């Protein structure tokens, strides 16, 4: 498994930390869940609308 450092704003990290604590999971598990759900959402949107162009 690969681990990459992410540069995220402090306020976003605090929100993720609070959510992870409320679910009783580690921050790493929460970040993995966010990334997986985000990728699935991207794949669904690409399936509906074609290639997504990012700014």
């Amino acid at each position: 498994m690969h681990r990459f450092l992410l540069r995220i704003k402090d306020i976003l990290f605090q929100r993720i930390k609070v959510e992870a604590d409320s679910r009783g999971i580690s921050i790493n598990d929460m970040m993995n869940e966010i990334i997986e759900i985000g990728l699935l959402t991207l794949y669904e949107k690409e399936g509906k609308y074609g290639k997504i162009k990012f700014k």
Side-chain angles (χ1 to χ4, degrees):
M1 181 183 304
H2 299 284
R3 293 280 180 195
F4 297 100
L5 295 176
L6 298 176
R7 295 179 187 210
I8 58 174
K9 294 183 178 184
D10 288 335
I11 189 72
L12 180 57
F13 179 78
Q14 291 302 319
R15 291 177 68 183
I16 292 168
K17 185 175 185 294
V18 167
E19 186 65 27
D21 289 343
S22 71
R23 292 178 181 217
I25 60 176
S26 71
I27 294 173
N28 285 334
D29 290 340
M30 187 70 195
M31 292 297 289
N32 286 336
E33 186 176 329
I34 291 168
I35 292 168
E36 288 173 11
I37 291 171
L39 284 173
L40 290 174
T41 302
L42 283 174
Y43 294 153
E44 289 173 1
K45 286 182 180 179
E46 283 183 351
K48 277 185 178 178
Y49 308 111
K51 185 81 173 168
I52 297 173
K53 294 180 183 176
F54 296 99
K55 295 180 182 178

